[in-house]
PDB file of all heavy atoms in Angstrom:
ATOM      1  N   LYS A   1     -18.455 -13.875   3.914  1.00  0.00           N
ATOM      2  CA  LYS A   1     -17.923 -12.856   4.794  1.00  0.00           C
ATOM      3  C   LYS A   1     -16.993 -11.922   3.958  1.00  0.00           C
ATOM      4  O   LYS A   1     -16.883 -10.774   4.331  1.00  0.00           O
ATOM      5  CB  LYS A   1     -17.155 -13.428   5.951  1.00  0.00           C
ATOM      6  CG  LYS A   1     -17.951 -14.303   6.867  1.00  0.00           C
ATOM      7  CD  LYS A   1     -18.973 -13.509   7.628  1.00  0.00           C
ATOM      8  CE  LYS A   1     -19.721 -14.325   8.637  1.00  0.00           C
ATOM      9  NZ  LYS A   1     -20.775 -13.629   9.309  1.00  0.00           N
ATOM     10  N   VAL A   2     -16.319 -12.464   3.001  1.00  0.00           N
ATOM     11  CA  VAL A   2     -15.493 -11.662   2.030  1.00  0.00           C
ATOM     12  C   VAL A   2     -15.695 -12.219   0.679  1.00  0.00           C
ATOM     13  O   VAL A   2     -16.119 -13.377   0.486  1.00  0.00           O
ATOM     14  CB  VAL A   2     -14.000 -11.726   2.457  1.00  0.00           C
ATOM     15  CG1 VAL A   2     -13.686 -11.155   3.809  1.00  0.00           C
ATOM     16  CG2 VAL A   2     -13.447 -13.125   2.365  1.00  0.00           C
ATOM     17  N   SER A   3     -15.374 -11.414  -0.308  1.00  0.00           N
ATOM     18  CA  SER A   3     -15.479 -11.899  -1.706  1.00  0.00           C
ATOM     19  C   SER A   3     -14.201 -12.623  -2.052  1.00  0.00           C
ATOM     20  O   SER A   3     -13.121 -12.471  -1.382  1.00  0.00           O
ATOM     21  CB  SER A   3     -15.654 -10.710  -2.657  1.00  0.00           C
ATOM     22  OG  SER A   3     -14.498  -9.952  -2.712  1.00  0.00           O
ATOM     23  N   ALA A   4     -14.287 -13.386  -3.077  1.00  0.00           N
ATOM     24  CA  ALA A   4     -13.098 -14.116  -3.580  1.00  0.00           C
ATOM     25  C   ALA A   4     -11.998 -13.088  -4.036  1.00  0.00           C
ATOM     26  O   ALA A   4     -10.801 -13.300  -3.830  1.00  0.00           O
ATOM     27  CB  ALA A   4     -13.446 -15.069  -4.761  1.00  0.00           C
ATOM     28  N   GLU A   5     -12.436 -11.991  -4.583  1.00  0.00           N
ATOM     29  CA  GLU A   5     -11.470 -10.934  -4.997  1.00  0.00           C
ATOM     30  C   GLU A   5     -10.782 -10.296  -3.794  1.00  0.00           C
ATOM     31  O   GLU A   5      -9.583 -10.047  -3.909  1.00  0.00           O
ATOM     32  CB  GLU A   5     -12.186  -9.863  -5.799  1.00  0.00           C
ATOM     33  CG  GLU A   5     -12.757 -10.381  -7.157  1.00  0.00           C
ATOM     34  CD  GLU A   5     -14.044 -11.106  -6.993  1.00  0.00           C
ATOM     35  OE1 GLU A   5     -14.785 -10.989  -6.018  1.00  0.00           O
ATOM     36  OE2 GLU A   5     -14.375 -11.853  -7.973  1.00  0.00           O
ATOM     37  N   GLN A   6     -11.514 -10.123  -2.755  1.00  0.00           N
ATOM     38  CA  GLN A   6     -10.912  -9.539  -1.494  1.00  0.00           C
ATOM     39  C   GLN A   6      -9.936 -10.539  -0.936  1.00  0.00           C
ATOM     40  O   GLN A   6      -8.795 -10.109  -0.483  1.00  0.00           O
ATOM     41  CB  GLN A   6     -11.981  -9.192  -0.490  1.00  0.00           C
ATOM     42  CG  GLN A   6     -12.806  -7.991  -0.821  1.00  0.00           C
ATOM     43  CD  GLN A   6     -13.977  -7.892   0.069  1.00  0.00           C
ATOM     44  OE1 GLN A   6     -14.684  -8.863   0.458  1.00  0.00           O
ATOM     45  NE2 GLN A   6     -14.293  -6.615   0.584  1.00  0.00           N
ATOM     46  N   ALA A   7     -10.233 -11.791  -0.923  1.00  0.00           N
ATOM     47  CA  ALA A   7      -9.332 -12.840  -0.438  1.00  0.00           C
ATOM     48  C   ALA A   7      -8.053 -12.855  -1.241  1.00  0.00           C
ATOM     49  O   ALA A   7      -6.923 -12.900  -0.712  1.00  0.00           O
ATOM     50  CB  ALA A   7     -10.076 -14.185  -0.378  1.00  0.00           C
ATOM     51  N   GLN A   8      -8.212 -12.835  -2.549  1.00  0.00           N
ATOM     52  CA  GLN A   8      -7.087 -12.908  -3.445  1.00  0.00           C
ATOM     53  C   GLN A   8      -6.185 -11.631  -3.298  1.00  0.00           C
ATOM     54  O   GLN A   8      -4.928 -11.793  -3.281  1.00  0.00           O
ATOM     55  CB  GLN A   8      -7.472 -13.040  -4.879  1.00  0.00           C
ATOM     56  CG  GLN A   8      -7.899 -14.468  -5.291  1.00  0.00           C
ATOM     57  CD  GLN A   8      -6.872 -15.514  -4.968  1.00  0.00           C
ATOM     58  OE1 GLN A   8      -7.010 -16.294  -4.025  1.00  0.00           O
ATOM     59  NE2 GLN A   8      -5.758 -15.447  -5.623  1.00  0.00           N
ATOM     60  N   ALA A   9      -6.822 -10.544  -3.062  1.00  0.00           N
ATOM     61  CA  ALA A   9      -6.033  -9.259  -2.899  1.00  0.00           C
ATOM     62  C   ALA A   9      -5.255  -9.321  -1.648  1.00  0.00           C
ATOM     63  O   ALA A   9      -4.054  -8.918  -1.541  1.00  0.00           O
ATOM     64  CB  ALA A   9      -6.974  -8.075  -2.919  1.00  0.00           C
ATOM     65  N   LEU A  10      -5.862  -9.835  -0.601  1.00  0.00           N
ATOM     66  CA  LEU A  10      -5.190 -10.005   0.701  1.00  0.00           C
ATOM     67  C   LEU A  10      -3.958 -10.903   0.556  1.00  0.00           C
ATOM     68  O   LEU A  10      -2.881 -10.581   0.959  1.00  0.00           O
ATOM     69  CB  LEU A  10      -6.097 -10.537   1.834  1.00  0.00           C
ATOM     70  CG  LEU A  10      -5.576 -10.566   3.257  1.00  0.00           C
ATOM     71  CD1 LEU A  10      -6.789 -10.381   4.206  1.00  0.00           C
ATOM     72  CD2 LEU A  10      -4.801 -11.785   3.530  1.00  0.00           C
ATOM     73  N   LEU A  11      -4.117 -12.040  -0.041  1.00  0.00           N
ATOM     74  CA  LEU A  11      -3.055 -13.034  -0.217  1.00  0.00           C
ATOM     75  C   LEU A  11      -1.938 -12.388  -1.105  1.00  0.00           C
ATOM     76  O   LEU A  11      -0.782 -12.601  -0.865  1.00  0.00           O
ATOM     77  CB  LEU A  11      -3.540 -14.320  -0.852  1.00  0.00           C
ATOM     78  CG  LEU A  11      -4.292 -15.251   0.111  1.00  0.00           C
ATOM     79  CD1 LEU A  11      -4.903 -16.358  -0.720  1.00  0.00           C
ATOM     80  CD2 LEU A  11      -3.386 -15.730   1.169  1.00  0.00           C
ATOM     81  N   ALA A  12      -2.273 -11.575  -2.057  1.00  0.00           N
ATOM     82  CA  ALA A  12      -1.340 -10.938  -2.973  1.00  0.00           C
ATOM     83  C   ALA A  12      -0.435  -9.937  -2.191  1.00  0.00           C
ATOM     84  O   ALA A  12       0.691  -9.561  -2.654  1.00  0.00           O
ATOM     85  CB  ALA A  12      -1.967 -10.288  -4.099  1.00  0.00           C
ATOM     86  N   ARG A  13      -0.938  -9.445  -1.101  1.00  0.00           N
ATOM     87  CA  ARG A  13      -0.126  -8.491  -0.258  1.00  0.00           C
ATOM     88  C   ARG A  13       0.884  -9.170   0.620  1.00  0.00           C
ATOM     89  O   ARG A  13       1.736  -8.520   1.244  1.00  0.00           O
ATOM     90  CB  ARG A  13      -1.060  -7.600   0.578  1.00  0.00           C
ATOM     91  CG  ARG A  13      -1.804  -6.561  -0.208  1.00  0.00           C
ATOM     92  CD  ARG A  13      -2.592  -5.599   0.660  1.00  0.00           C
ATOM     93  NE  ARG A  13      -3.694  -6.144   1.392  1.00  0.00           N
ATOM     94  CZ  ARG A  13      -4.945  -6.193   0.890  1.00  0.00           C
ATOM     95  NH1 ARG A  13      -5.224  -5.824  -0.319  1.00  0.00           N
ATOM     96  NH2 ARG A  13      -5.898  -6.727   1.692  1.00  0.00           N
ATOM     97  N   ILE A  14       0.941 -10.507   0.607  1.00  0.00           N
ATOM     98  CA  ILE A  14       1.893 -11.186   1.423  1.00  0.00           C
ATOM     99  C   ILE A  14       2.990 -11.778   0.575  1.00  0.00           C
ATOM    100  O   ILE A  14       2.727 -12.531  -0.435  1.00  0.00           O
ATOM    101  CB  ILE A  14       1.167 -12.406   2.191  1.00  0.00           C
ATOM    102  CG1 ILE A  14      -0.025 -11.897   3.050  1.00  0.00           C
ATOM    103  CG2 ILE A  14       2.186 -13.206   3.028  1.00  0.00           C
ATOM    104  CD1 ILE A  14      -0.893 -12.990   3.539  1.00  0.00           C
ATOM    105  N   THR A  15       4.236 -11.484   0.975  1.00  0.00           N
ATOM    106  CA  THR A  15       5.408 -11.982   0.261  1.00  0.00           C
ATOM    107  C   THR A  15       6.352 -12.711   1.181  1.00  0.00           C
ATOM    108  O   THR A  15       6.676 -12.208   2.271  1.00  0.00           O
ATOM    109  CB  THR A  15       6.229 -10.798  -0.331  1.00  0.00           C
ATOM    110  OG1 THR A  15       5.322  -9.930  -1.132  1.00  0.00           O
ATOM    111  CG2 THR A  15       7.410 -11.149  -1.120  1.00  0.00           C
ATOM    112  N   PRO A  16       6.668 -13.959   0.805  1.00  0.00           N
ATOM    113  CA  PRO A  16       7.580 -14.719   1.608  1.00  0.00           C
ATOM    114  C   PRO A  16       8.967 -14.074   1.508  1.00  0.00           C
ATOM    115  O   PRO A  16       9.386 -13.573   0.510  1.00  0.00           O
ATOM    116  CB  PRO A  16       7.631 -16.095   0.908  1.00  0.00           C
ATOM    117  CG  PRO A  16       6.490 -16.098  -0.050  1.00  0.00           C
ATOM    118  CD  PRO A  16       6.133 -14.703  -0.365  1.00  0.00           C
ATOM    119  N   ALA A  17       9.703 -14.141   2.637  1.00  0.00           N
ATOM    120  CA  ALA A  17      11.072 -13.664   2.681  1.00  0.00           C
ATOM    121  C   ALA A  17      11.957 -14.748   3.259  1.00  0.00           C
ATOM    122  O   ALA A  17      11.703 -15.218   4.283  1.00  0.00           O
ATOM    123  CB  ALA A  17      11.174 -12.337   3.531  1.00  0.00           C
ATOM    124  N   THR A  18      12.976 -15.157   2.466  1.00  0.00           N
ATOM    125  CA  THR A  18      13.841 -16.194   2.926  1.00  0.00           C
ATOM    126  C   THR A  18      15.149 -15.684   3.498  1.00  0.00           C
ATOM    127  O   THR A  18      15.934 -16.474   4.041  1.00  0.00           O
ATOM    128  CB  THR A  18      14.063 -17.263   1.812  1.00  0.00           C
ATOM    129  OG1 THR A  18      14.595 -16.615   0.709  1.00  0.00           O
ATOM    130  CG2 THR A  18      12.693 -17.915   1.446  1.00  0.00           C
ATOM    131  N   GLU A  19      15.408 -14.456   3.351  1.00  0.00           N
ATOM    132  CA  GLU A  19      16.604 -13.818   3.868  1.00  0.00           C
ATOM    133  C   GLU A  19      16.223 -12.645   4.719  1.00  0.00           C
ATOM    134  O   GLU A  19      15.400 -11.839   4.318  1.00  0.00           O
ATOM    135  CB  GLU A  19      17.537 -13.312   2.667  1.00  0.00           C
ATOM    136  CG  GLU A  19      17.956 -14.416   1.698  1.00  0.00           C
ATOM    137  CD  GLU A  19      18.985 -15.356   2.337  1.00  0.00           C
ATOM    138  OE1 GLU A  19      19.725 -14.966   3.280  1.00  0.00           O
ATOM    139  OE2 GLU A  19      18.954 -16.541   2.026  1.00  0.00           O
ATOM    140  N   LEU A  20      16.857 -12.470   5.872  1.00  0.00           N
ATOM    141  CA  LEU A  20      16.568 -11.372   6.785  1.00  0.00           C
ATOM    142  C   LEU A  20      16.793 -10.031   6.054  1.00  0.00           C
ATOM    143  O   LEU A  20      16.060  -9.051   6.335  1.00  0.00           O
ATOM    144  CB  LEU A  20      17.363 -11.509   8.031  1.00  0.00           C
ATOM    145  CG  LEU A  20      16.868 -10.915   9.301  1.00  0.00           C
ATOM    146  CD1 LEU A  20      15.477 -11.429   9.592  1.00  0.00           C
ATOM    147  CD2 LEU A  20      17.797 -11.226  10.470  1.00  0.00           C
ATOM    148  N   THR A  21      17.738  -9.966   5.163  1.00  0.00           N
ATOM    149  CA  THR A  21      18.096  -8.689   4.494  1.00  0.00           C
ATOM    150  C   THR A  21      16.902  -8.195   3.595  1.00  0.00           C
ATOM    151  O   THR A  21      16.845  -7.019   3.324  1.00  0.00           O
ATOM    152  CB  THR A  21      19.329  -8.875   3.590  1.00  0.00           C
ATOM    153  OG1 THR A  21      19.174 -10.007   2.692  1.00  0.00           O
ATOM    154  CG2 THR A  21      20.641  -9.122   4.391  1.00  0.00           C
ATOM    155  N   GLN A  22      15.941  -9.100   3.276  1.00  0.00           N
ATOM    156  CA  GLN A  22      14.773  -8.672   2.501  1.00  0.00           C
ATOM    157  C   GLN A  22      13.869  -7.759   3.268  1.00  0.00           C
ATOM    158  O   GLN A  22      13.043  -7.129   2.715  1.00  0.00           O
ATOM    159  CB  GLN A  22      13.999  -9.909   1.999  1.00  0.00           C
ATOM    160  CG  GLN A  22      14.785 -10.742   0.970  1.00  0.00           C
ATOM    161  CD  GLN A  22      14.025 -11.960   0.656  1.00  0.00           C
ATOM    162  OE1 GLN A  22      14.206 -13.053   1.285  1.00  0.00           O
ATOM    163  NE2 GLN A  22      13.059 -11.892  -0.296  1.00  0.00           N
ATOM    164  N   LEU A  23      14.099  -7.654   4.542  1.00  0.00           N
ATOM    165  CA  LEU A  23      13.260  -6.847   5.414  1.00  0.00           C
ATOM    166  C   LEU A  23      13.768  -5.422   5.541  1.00  0.00           C
ATOM    167  O   LEU A  23      13.151  -4.594   6.279  1.00  0.00           O
ATOM    168  CB  LEU A  23      13.192  -7.458   6.860  1.00  0.00           C
ATOM    169  CG  LEU A  23      12.834  -8.952   6.957  1.00  0.00           C
ATOM    170  CD1 LEU A  23      12.664  -9.355   8.410  1.00  0.00           C
ATOM    171  CD2 LEU A  23      11.628  -9.270   6.140  1.00  0.00           C
ATOM    172  N   ALA A  24      14.860  -5.077   4.865  1.00  0.00           N
ATOM    173  CA  ALA A  24      15.476  -3.814   5.033  1.00  0.00           C
ATOM    174  C   ALA A  24      14.651  -2.553   4.795  1.00  0.00           C
ATOM    175  O   ALA A  24      14.787  -1.555   5.472  1.00  0.00           O
ATOM    176  CB  ALA A  24      16.697  -3.712   4.054  1.00  0.00           C
TER     177      ALA A  24
END
């Protein structure tokens, strides 16, 4: 349904944030 490259690119767009201030 998707390529491995597309899956990796999608995951790379997600960043964990552990402090609310990171959402500024």
Side-chain angles (χ1 to χ4, degrees):
K1 302 289 185 184
V2 297
S3 70
E5 293 79 19
Q6 289 170 315
Q8 282 306 111
L10 188 152
L11 285 172
R13 288 191 288 274
I14 303 169
T15 303
T18 55
E19 300 290 331
L20 209 54
T21 55
Q22 291 174 268
L23 311 185

